[in-house]
Amino acid sequence: MTEKNFILKGNVCCSETSTAFSITENAYLVCEGGLCAGIFRELPEKYRSFPIKDCGDNLIIPGLTDLHIHAPQYSYRGTGMDLELLEWLNTITFPQEAAYANLNYAQKAYSIFTEALKKSPTARACIFGTMHVPATELLMDLLEETGLKTMVGKVNMDRNGVPNLQEKDAKTSAQDTATWLEDTLHKYQNVRPILTPRFTPSCSDELMEMLSVIQKKHHLPMQSHLSENLGEIAWVKELCPDTDFYGEAYDKFGLFGGECPTIMAHCVHSPDAEIHLMKERGVYIAHCAQSNTNLSSGIAPVRRYLNEGLHIGLGTDIAGGASLSMFRAIVDSIQVSKLRWRLVDDTQKPLTLEETFYLATEGGGSFFGKTGNFKEGYEFDALILDDTSLPHPQELTIRDRLERMIYLGDDHIITGKYVSGKKIF
Ligand code: GUN
Ligand code: FE
């Protein structure tokens, strides 16, 4: 028997559909070879030899996926929150990221970040590093050790930075990217490189062309930002006068989904044509509700994206978002959708707990393949949740307990975490 054959016994909660929970009380959740074999009320004969961990009355849910987070920004989260995007980037973010030229600083900061991510509800994440190759490789080394499954990007930025946070030119940026890929493409079991042009204002046309060639050569996934802030969108229009909308500024270089899986963060102000192109190209939207609130970016029309069948998951967008917790990302997504419904468009109903739980699990998790659910054949990513620290006098259903843990719980309620069948803690 391998260590990846085992059973968790408890109250198993996952998504039945994108709008409904599947809740099985006192059930056997079977992991076979790192994959989920199913949820059973009675344990089938063939699994009787597997060791059982009895989780008692605890809840067991799939691991969560953070589709958009900046690792170097973790150190200053929760500060400088009264600015809009472009001013925040110039005065806070870029100077802070410049510090990662120093590997000693990177070691300290990234050790703190990876330890926090390990303890959080996040099982998988798509992560921005900085433009620095050594620091980004260090981040990848540290993440590999956590056992979490991640995609990590060395950031490309050859224009409109600050003096100590901007690559020399397009050629240097592309060469650094090639070096980084050579070092990391086949180095890890848990970490994969993802192409990461910061956003259009940071990347010259020449650089975008080179990145497109690199992407196609290695069939790399990609992550970037799109239509986050109105000032940003107006600036992209000035920088790319030949485009009708922001997404075209990526698409004209072949950097907008299609063959290579792509995540665009935010999409708060995407026009119809951009939404249609994202759908056509299978682009994933990372909805970052707290960041969009903190930086006064707006409220993304998530209900519309769901109705139109786009791929969508949730992101914390540290440090635009101050909280690392994907539980909080679920709550923030529900809350801003209620404000949008009440104040912006009363035809678009708010998001429900069931829907946002789906986005945080299988919605974003599907970017990594079959993850974020306990269906047969899915990667076995699981969290064990203990709510005894949240006492209550009344009877609660399992669904109510789950909702309460998402609204009230912090990392302490997570007493066990598994990724691809591997015990993280
Ligand atoms: N757009 C370009 N860079 C960034 C960043 O670091 N954070 C956010 N929220 N938006 C960006
Ligand atoms: Fe971001």
mmCIF file with all atom_site columns, all heavy atoms in Angstrom, residues 201-221:
data_model
loop_
_atom_site.group_PDB
_atom_site.id
_atom_site.type_symbol
_atom_site.label_atom_id
_atom_site.label_alt_id
_atom_site.label_comp_id
_atom_site.label_asym_id
_atom_site.label_entity_id
_atom_site.label_seq_id
_atom_site.pdbx_PDB_ins_code
_atom_site.Cartn_x
_atom_site.Cartn_y
_atom_site.Cartn_z
_atom_site.occupancy
_atom_site.B_iso_or_equiv
_atom_site.pdbx_formal_charge
_atom_site.auth_seq_id
_atom_site.auth_comp_id
_atom_site.auth_asym_id
_atom_site.auth_atom_id
_atom_site.pdbx_PDB_model_num
ATOM 1   N N   . PRO A 1 201 ? 0.588  48.310 -19.950 1.00 0.00 ? 201 PRO A N   1
ATOM 2   C CA  . PRO A 1 201 ? 1.431  49.496 -19.748 1.00 0.00 ? 201 PRO A CA  1
ATOM 3   C C   . PRO A 1 201 ? 2.876  49.170 -19.372 1.00 0.00 ? 201 PRO A C   1
ATOM 4   O O   . PRO A 1 201 ? 3.764  49.999 -19.569 1.00 0.00 ? 201 PRO A O   1
ATOM 5   C CB  . PRO A 1 201 ? 0.720  50.232 -18.600 1.00 0.00 ? 201 PRO A CB  1
ATOM 6   C CG  . PRO A 1 201 ? -0.714 49.826 -18.731 1.00 0.00 ? 201 PRO A CG  1
ATOM 7   C CD  . PRO A 1 201 ? -0.658 48.389 -19.155 1.00 0.00 ? 201 PRO A CD  1
ATOM 8   N N   . SER A 1 202 ? 3.147  47.960 -18.835 1.00 0.00 ? 202 SER A N   1
ATOM 9   C CA  . SER A 1 202 ? 4.508  47.581 -18.430 1.00 0.00 ? 202 SER A CA  1
ATOM 10  C C   . SER A 1 202 ? 5.309  46.898 -19.528 1.00 0.00 ? 202 SER A C   1
ATOM 11  O O   . SER A 1 202 ? 6.496  46.637 -19.321 1.00 0.00 ? 202 SER A O   1
ATOM 12  C CB  . SER A 1 202 ? 4.461  46.598 -17.246 1.00 0.00 ? 202 SER A CB  1
ATOM 13  O OG  . SER A 1 202 ? 3.963  47.206 -16.099 1.00 0.00 ? 202 SER A OG  1
ATOM 14  N N   . CYS A 1 203 ? 4.681  46.547 -20.651 1.00 0.00 ? 203 CYS A N   1
ATOM 15  C CA  . CYS A 1 203 ? 5.354  45.716 -21.656 1.00 0.00 ? 203 CYS A CA  1
ATOM 16  C C   . CYS A 1 203 ? 5.289  46.337 -23.046 1.00 0.00 ? 203 CYS A C   1
ATOM 17  O O   . CYS A 1 203 ? 4.191  46.545 -23.588 1.00 0.00 ? 203 CYS A O   1
ATOM 18  C CB  . CYS A 1 203 ? 4.718  44.326 -21.698 1.00 0.00 ? 203 CYS A CB  1
ATOM 19  S SG  . CYS A 1 203 ? 4.801  43.432 -20.135 1.00 0.00 ? 203 CYS A SG  1
ATOM 20  N N   . SER A 1 204 ? 6.484  46.605 -23.617 1.00 0.00 ? 204 SER A N   1
ATOM 21  C CA  . SER A 1 204 ? 6.535  47.180 -24.962 1.00 0.00 ? 204 SER A CA  1
ATOM 22  C C   . SER A 1 204 ? 6.044  46.166 -25.995 1.00 0.00 ? 204 SER A C   1
ATOM 23  O O   . SER A 1 204 ? 6.020  44.950 -25.740 1.00 0.00 ? 204 SER A O   1
ATOM 24  C CB  . SER A 1 204 ? 7.976  47.571 -25.291 1.00 0.00 ? 204 SER A CB  1
ATOM 25  O OG  . SER A 1 204 ? 8.774  46.396 -25.364 1.00 0.00 ? 204 SER A OG  1
ATOM 26  N N   . ASP A 1 205 ? 5.681  46.668 -27.169 1.00 0.00 ? 205 ASP A N   1
ATOM 27  C CA  . ASP A 1 205 ? 5.264  45.775 -28.267 1.00 0.00 ? 205 ASP A CA  1
ATOM 28  C C   . ASP A 1 205 ? 6.360  44.773 -28.591 1.00 0.00 ? 205 ASP A C   1
ATOM 29  O O   . ASP A 1 205 ? 6.090  43.593 -28.824 1.00 0.00 ? 205 ASP A O   1
ATOM 30  C CB  . ASP A 1 205 ? 4.951  46.589 -29.535 1.00 0.00 ? 205 ASP A CB  1
ATOM 31  C CG  . ASP A 1 205 ? 3.640  47.354 -29.410 1.00 0.00 ? 205 ASP A CG  1
ATOM 32  O OD1 . ASP A 1 205 ? 3.036  47.330 -28.312 1.00 0.00 ? 205 ASP A OD1 1
ATOM 33  O OD2 . ASP A 1 205 ? 3.216  47.971 -30.409 1.00 0.00 ? 205 ASP A OD2 1
ATOM 34  N N   . GLU A 1 206 ? 7.587  45.259 -28.589 1.00 0.00 ? 206 GLU A N   1
ATOM 35  C CA  . GLU A 1 206 ? 8.717  44.381 -28.921 1.00 0.00 ? 206 GLU A CA  1
ATOM 36  C C   . GLU A 1 206 ? 8.808  43.219 -27.912 1.00 0.00 ? 206 GLU A C   1
ATOM 37  O O   . GLU A 1 206 ? 9.012  42.064 -28.294 1.00 0.00 ? 206 GLU A O   1
ATOM 38  C CB  . GLU A 1 206 ? 10.003 45.219 -28.884 1.00 0.00 ? 206 GLU A CB  1
ATOM 39  C CG  . GLU A 1 206 ? 11.194 44.537 -29.509 1.00 0.00 ? 206 GLU A CG  1
ATOM 40  C CD  . GLU A 1 206 ? 12.491 45.335 -29.268 1.00 0.00 ? 206 GLU A CD  1
ATOM 41  O OE1 . GLU A 1 206 ? 12.428 46.467 -28.713 1.00 0.00 ? 206 GLU A OE1 1
ATOM 42  O OE2 . GLU A 1 206 ? 13.556 44.806 -29.622 1.00 0.00 ? 206 GLU A OE2 1
ATOM 43  N N   . LEU A 1 207 ? 8.621  43.546 -26.644 1.00 0.00 ? 207 LEU A N   1
ATOM 44  C CA  . LEU A 1 207 ? 8.661  42.500 -25.607 1.00 0.00 ? 207 LEU A CA  1
ATOM 45  C C   . LEU A 1 207 ? 7.507  41.518 -25.781 1.00 0.00 ? 207 LEU A C   1
ATOM 46  O O   . LEU A 1 207 ? 7.693  40.302 -25.705 1.00 0.00 ? 207 LEU A O   1
ATOM 47  C CB  . LEU A 1 207 ? 8.618  43.149 -24.209 1.00 0.00 ? 207 LEU A CB  1
ATOM 48  C CG  . LEU A 1 207 ? 8.539  42.188 -23.016 1.00 0.00 ? 207 LEU A CG  1
ATOM 49  C CD1 . LEU A 1 207 ? 9.683  41.174 -23.025 1.00 0.00 ? 207 LEU A CD1 1
ATOM 50  C CD2 . LEU A 1 207 ? 8.525  42.957 -21.697 1.00 0.00 ? 207 LEU A CD2 1
ATOM 51  N N   . MET A 1 208 ? 6.311  42.029 -26.023 1.00 0.00 ? 208 MET A N   1
ATOM 52  C CA  . MET A 1 208 ? 5.143  41.147 -26.214 1.00 0.00 ? 208 MET A CA  1
ATOM 53  C C   . MET A 1 208 ? 5.397  40.168 -27.366 1.00 0.00 ? 208 MET A C   1
ATOM 54  O O   . MET A 1 208 ? 5.053  38.986 -27.274 1.00 0.00 ? 208 MET A O   1
ATOM 55  C CB  . MET A 1 208 ? 3.884  41.968 -26.498 1.00 0.00 ? 208 MET A CB  1
ATOM 56  C CG  . MET A 1 208 ? 3.375  42.756 -25.294 1.00 0.00 ? 208 MET A CG  1
ATOM 57  S SD  . MET A 1 208 ? 2.763  41.711 -23.954 1.00 0.00 ? 208 MET A SD  1
ATOM 58  C CE  . MET A 1 208 ? 1.596  42.824 -23.166 1.00 0.00 ? 208 MET A CE  1
ATOM 59  N N   . GLU A 1 209 ? 5.991  40.676 -28.426 1.00 0.00 ? 209 GLU A N   1
ATOM 60  C CA  . GLU A 1 209 ? 6.286  39.790 -29.575 1.00 0.00 ? 209 GLU A CA  1
ATOM 61  C C   . GLU A 1 209 ? 7.240  38.670 -29.162 1.00 0.00 ? 209 GLU A C   1
ATOM 62  O O   . GLU A 1 209 ? 7.044  37.511 -29.515 1.00 0.00 ? 209 GLU A O   1
ATOM 63  C CB  . GLU A 1 209 ? 6.919  40.594 -30.717 1.00 0.00 ? 209 GLU A CB  1
ATOM 64  C CG  . GLU A 1 209 ? 5.888  41.151 -31.670 1.00 0.00 ? 209 GLU A CG  1
ATOM 65  C CD  . GLU A 1 209 ? 6.440  42.246 -32.581 1.00 0.00 ? 209 GLU A CD  1
ATOM 66  O OE1 . GLU A 1 209 ? 7.669  42.285 -32.806 1.00 0.00 ? 209 GLU A OE1 1
ATOM 67  O OE2 . GLU A 1 209 ? 5.619  43.062 -33.051 1.00 0.00 ? 209 GLU A OE2 1
ATOM 68  N N   . MET A 1 210 ? 8.268  39.026 -28.415 1.00 0.00 ? 210 MET A N   1
ATOM 69  C CA  . MET A 1 210 ? 9.241  38.013 -27.977 1.00 0.00 ? 210 MET A CA  1
ATOM 70  C C   . MET A 1 210 ? 8.606  37.010 -27.010 1.00 0.00 ? 210 MET A C   1
ATOM 71  O O   . MET A 1 210 ? 8.879  35.814 -27.063 1.00 0.00 ? 210 MET A O   1
ATOM 72  C CB  . MET A 1 210 ? 10.431 38.697 -27.294 1.00 0.00 ? 210 MET A CB  1
ATOM 73  C CG  . MET A 1 210 ? 11.290 39.488 -28.253 1.00 0.00 ? 210 MET A CG  1
ATOM 74  S SD  . MET A 1 210 ? 12.572 40.364 -27.333 1.00 0.00 ? 210 MET A SD  1
ATOM 75  C CE  . MET A 1 210 ? 13.465 41.123 -28.666 1.00 0.00 ? 210 MET A CE  1
ATOM 76  N N   . LEU A 1 211 ? 7.750  37.508 -26.121 1.00 0.00 ? 211 LEU A N   1
ATOM 77  C CA  . LEU A 1 211 ? 7.105  36.607 -25.154 1.00 0.00 ? 211 LEU A CA  1
ATOM 78  C C   . LEU A 1 211 ? 6.169  35.622 -25.856 1.00 0.00 ? 211 LEU A C   1
ATOM 79  O O   . LEU A 1 211 ? 6.042  34.459 -25.463 1.00 0.00 ? 211 LEU A O   1
ATOM 80  C CB  . LEU A 1 211 ? 6.330  37.407 -24.101 1.00 0.00 ? 211 LEU A CB  1
ATOM 81  C CG  . LEU A 1 211 ? 7.183  38.267 -23.168 1.00 0.00 ? 211 LEU A CG  1
ATOM 82  C CD1 . LEU A 1 211 ? 6.304  38.987 -22.145 1.00 0.00 ? 211 LEU A CD1 1
ATOM 83  C CD2 . LEU A 1 211 ? 8.252  37.431 -22.452 1.00 0.00 ? 211 LEU A CD2 1
ATOM 84  N N   . SER A 1 212 ? 5.542  36.102 -26.919 1.00 0.00 ? 212 SER A N   1
ATOM 85  C CA  . SER A 1 212 ? 4.645  35.221 -27.673 1.00 0.00 ? 212 SER A CA  1
ATOM 86  C C   . SER A 1 212 ? 5.423  34.060 -28.293 1.00 0.00 ? 212 SER A C   1
ATOM 87  O O   . SER A 1 212 ? 4.971  32.909 -28.273 1.00 0.00 ? 212 SER A O   1
ATOM 88  C CB  . SER A 1 212 ? 3.935  36.042 -28.753 1.00 0.00 ? 212 SER A CB  1
ATOM 89  O OG  . SER A 1 212 ? 3.010  35.238 -29.420 1.00 0.00 ? 212 SER A OG  1
ATOM 90  N N   . VAL A 1 213 ? 6.612  34.355 -28.800 1.00 0.00 ? 213 VAL A N   1
ATOM 91  C CA  . VAL A 1 213 ? 7.455  33.293 -29.394 1.00 0.00 ? 213 VAL A CA  1
ATOM 92  C C   . VAL A 1 213 ? 7.864  32.298 -28.301 1.00 0.00 ? 213 VAL A C   1
ATOM 93  O O   . VAL A 1 213 ? 7.773  31.078 -28.476 1.00 0.00 ? 213 VAL A O   1
ATOM 94  C CB  . VAL A 1 213 ? 8.709  33.908 -30.071 1.00 0.00 ? 213 VAL A CB  1
ATOM 95  C CG1 . VAL A 1 213 ? 9.664  32.818 -30.524 1.00 0.00 ? 213 VAL A CG1 1
ATOM 96  C CG2 . VAL A 1 213 ? 8.295  34.793 -31.249 1.00 0.00 ? 213 VAL A CG2 1
ATOM 97  N N   . ILE A 1 214 ? 8.282  32.834 -27.152 1.00 0.00 ? 214 ILE A N   1
ATOM 98  C CA  . ILE A 1 214 ? 8.683  31.960 -26.033 1.00 0.00 ? 214 ILE A CA  1
ATOM 99  C C   . ILE A 1 214 ? 7.498  31.103 -25.585 1.00 0.00 ? 214 ILE A C   1
ATOM 100 O O   . ILE A 1 214 ? 7.627  29.905 -25.330 1.00 0.00 ? 214 ILE A O   1
ATOM 101 C CB  . ILE A 1 214 ? 9.208  32.819 -24.849 1.00 0.00 ? 214 ILE A CB  1
ATOM 102 C CG1 . ILE A 1 214 ? 10.528 33.479 -25.227 1.00 0.00 ? 214 ILE A CG1 1
ATOM 103 C CG2 . ILE A 1 214 ? 9.357  31.978 -23.584 1.00 0.00 ? 214 ILE A CG2 1
ATOM 104 C CD1 . ILE A 1 214 ? 11.054 34.479 -24.198 1.00 0.00 ? 214 ILE A CD1 1
ATOM 105 N N   . GLN A 1 215 ? 6.339  31.727 -25.499 1.00 0.00 ? 215 GLN A N   1
ATOM 106 C CA  . GLN A 1 215 ? 5.155  30.974 -25.041 1.00 0.00 ? 215 GLN A CA  1
ATOM 107 C C   . GLN A 1 215 ? 4.859  29.795 -25.964 1.00 0.00 ? 215 GLN A C   1
ATOM 108 O O   . GLN A 1 215 ? 4.642  28.676 -25.508 1.00 0.00 ? 215 GLN A O   1
ATOM 109 C CB  . GLN A 1 215 ? 3.928  31.890 -24.976 1.00 0.00 ? 215 GLN A CB  1
ATOM 110 C CG  . GLN A 1 215 ? 2.706  31.128 -24.479 1.00 0.00 ? 215 GLN A CG  1
ATOM 111 C CD  . GLN A 1 215 ? 1.411  31.923 -24.495 1.00 0.00 ? 215 GLN A CD  1
ATOM 112 O OE1 . GLN A 1 215 ? 1.116  32.604 -25.471 1.00 0.00 ? 215 GLN A OE1 1
ATOM 113 N NE2 . GLN A 1 215 ? 0.649  31.827 -23.424 1.00 0.00 ? 215 GLN A NE2 1
ATOM 114 N N   . LYS A 1 216 ? 4.870  30.059 -27.263 1.00 0.00 ? 216 LYS A N   1
ATOM 115 C CA  . LYS A 1 216 ? 4.497  28.996 -28.213 1.00 0.00 ? 216 LYS A CA  1
ATOM 116 C C   . LYS A 1 216 ? 5.549  27.880 -28.204 1.00 0.00 ? 216 LYS A C   1
ATOM 117 O O   . LYS A 1 216 ? 5.213  26.703 -28.332 1.00 0.00 ? 216 LYS A O   1
ATOM 118 C CB  . LYS A 1 216 ? 4.337  29.546 -29.637 1.00 0.00 ? 216 LYS A CB  1
ATOM 119 C CG  . LYS A 1 216 ? 3.322  30.683 -29.816 1.00 0.00 ? 216 LYS A CG  1
ATOM 120 C CD  . LYS A 1 216 ? 1.992  30.448 -29.118 1.00 0.00 ? 216 LYS A CD  1
ATOM 121 C CE  . LYS A 1 216 ? 1.028  31.622 -29.123 1.00 0.00 ? 216 LYS A CE  1
ATOM 122 N NZ  . LYS A 1 216 ? 1.178  32.664 -28.124 1.00 0.00 ? 216 LYS A NZ  1
ATOM 123 N N   . LYS A 1 217 ? 6.812  28.264 -28.029 1.00 0.00 ? 217 LYS A N   1
ATOM 124 C CA  . LYS A 1 217 ? 7.891  27.262 -28.021 1.00 0.00 ? 217 LYS A CA  1
ATOM 125 C C   . LYS A 1 217 ? 7.683  26.236 -26.898 1.00 0.00 ? 217 LYS A C   1
ATOM 126 O O   . LYS A 1 217 ? 7.887  25.049 -27.082 1.00 0.00 ? 217 LYS A O   1
ATOM 127 C CB  . LYS A 1 217 ? 9.228  27.990 -27.833 1.00 0.00 ? 217 LYS A CB  1
ATOM 128 C CG  . LYS A 1 217 ? 10.427 27.076 -27.837 1.00 0.00 ? 217 LYS A CG  1
ATOM 129 C CD  . LYS A 1 217 ? 11.730 27.876 -27.848 1.00 0.00 ? 217 LYS A CD  1
ATOM 130 C CE  . LYS A 1 217 ? 12.894 26.974 -27.499 1.00 0.00 ? 217 LYS A CE  1
ATOM 131 N NZ  . LYS A 1 217 ? 14.046 27.734 -27.009 1.00 0.00 ? 217 LYS A NZ  1
ATOM 132 N N   . HIS A 1 218 ? 7.265  26.703 -25.729 1.00 0.00 ? 218 HIS A N   1
ATOM 133 C CA  . HIS A 1 218 ? 7.137  25.803 -24.567 1.00 0.00 ? 218 HIS A CA  1
ATOM 134 C C   . HIS A 1 218 ? 5.683  25.484 -24.210 1.00 0.00 ? 218 HIS A C   1
ATOM 135 O O   . HIS A 1 218 ? 5.432  24.823 -23.215 1.00 0.00 ? 218 HIS A O   1
ATOM 136 C CB  . HIS A 1 218 ? 7.806  26.437 -23.341 1.00 0.00 ? 218 HIS A CB  1
ATOM 137 C CG  . HIS A 1 218 ? 9.263  26.711 -23.527 1.00 0.00 ? 218 HIS A CG  1
ATOM 138 N ND1 . HIS A 1 218 ? 10.207 25.708 -23.593 1.00 0.00 ? 218 HIS A ND1 1
ATOM 139 C CD2 . HIS A 1 218 ? 9.941  27.875 -23.678 1.00 0.00 ? 218 HIS A CD2 1
ATOM 140 C CE1 . HIS A 1 218 ? 11.410 26.247 -23.758 1.00 0.00 ? 218 HIS A CE1 1
ATOM 141 N NE2 . HIS A 1 218 ? 11.276 27.565 -23.812 1.00 0.00 ? 218 HIS A NE2 1
ATOM 142 N N   . HIS A 1 219 ? 4.762  25.996 -25.003 1.00 0.00 ? 219 HIS A N   1
ATOM 143 C CA  . HIS A 1 219 ? 3.327  25.845 -24.700 1.00 0.00 ? 219 HIS A CA  1
ATOM 144 C C   . HIS A 1 219 ? 3.036  26.244 -23.238 1.00 0.00 ? 219 HIS A C   1
ATOM 145 O O   . HIS A 1 219 ? 2.503  25.477 -22.442 1.00 0.00 ? 219 HIS A O   1
ATOM 146 C CB  . HIS A 1 219 ? 2.866  24.408 -24.962 1.00 0.00 ? 219 HIS A CB  1
ATOM 147 C CG  . HIS A 1 219 ? 1.364  24.293 -24.959 1.00 0.00 ? 219 HIS A CG  1
ATOM 148 N ND1 . HIS A 1 219 ? 0.573  24.799 -25.967 1.00 0.00 ? 219 HIS A ND1 1
ATOM 149 C CD2 . HIS A 1 219 ? 0.499  23.759 -24.064 1.00 0.00 ? 219 HIS A CD2 1
ATOM 150 C CE1 . HIS A 1 219 ? -0.685 24.579 -25.686 1.00 0.00 ? 219 HIS A CE1 1
ATOM 151 N NE2 . HIS A 1 219 ? -0.772 23.959 -24.531 1.00 0.00 ? 219 HIS A NE2 1
ATOM 152 N N   . LEU A 1 220 ? 3.411  27.477 -22.908 1.00 0.00 ? 220 LEU A N   1
ATOM 153 C CA  . LEU A 1 220 ? 3.304  27.942 -21.517 1.00 0.00 ? 220 LEU A CA  1
ATOM 154 C C   . LEU A 1 220 ? 1.936  28.537 -21.204 1.00 0.00 ? 220 LEU A C   1
ATOM 155 O O   . LEU A 1 220 ? 1.386  29.285 -22.024 1.00 0.00 ? 220 LEU A O   1
ATOM 156 C CB  . LEU A 1 220 ? 4.318  29.059 -21.259 1.00 0.00 ? 220 LEU A CB  1
ATOM 157 C CG  . LEU A 1 220 ? 5.791  28.722 -21.178 1.00 0.00 ? 220 LEU A CG  1
ATOM 158 C CD1 . LEU A 1 220 ? 6.580  30.010 -21.018 1.00 0.00 ? 220 LEU A CD1 1
ATOM 159 C CD2 . LEU A 1 220 ? 6.053  27.787 -19.997 1.00 0.00 ? 220 LEU A CD2 1
ATOM 160 N N   . PRO A 1 221 ? 1.412  28.266 -20.011 1.00 0.00 ? 221 PRO A N   1
ATOM 161 C CA  . PRO A 1 221 ? 0.245  29.044 -19.574 1.00 0.00 ? 221 PRO A CA  1
ATOM 162 C C   . PRO A 1 221 ? 0.661  30.495 -19.322 1.00 0.00 ? 221 PRO A C   1
ATOM 163 O O   . PRO A 1 221 ? 1.861  30.787 -19.229 1.00 0.00 ? 221 PRO A O   1
ATOM 164 C CB  . PRO A 1 221 ? -0.174 28.355 -18.275 1.00 0.00 ? 221 PRO A CB  1
ATOM 165 C CG  . PRO A 1 221 ? 1.047  27.659 -17.784 1.00 0.00 ? 221 PRO A CG  1
ATOM 166 C CD  . PRO A 1 221 ? 1.883  27.325 -18.994 1.00 0.00 ? 221 PRO A CD  1
#
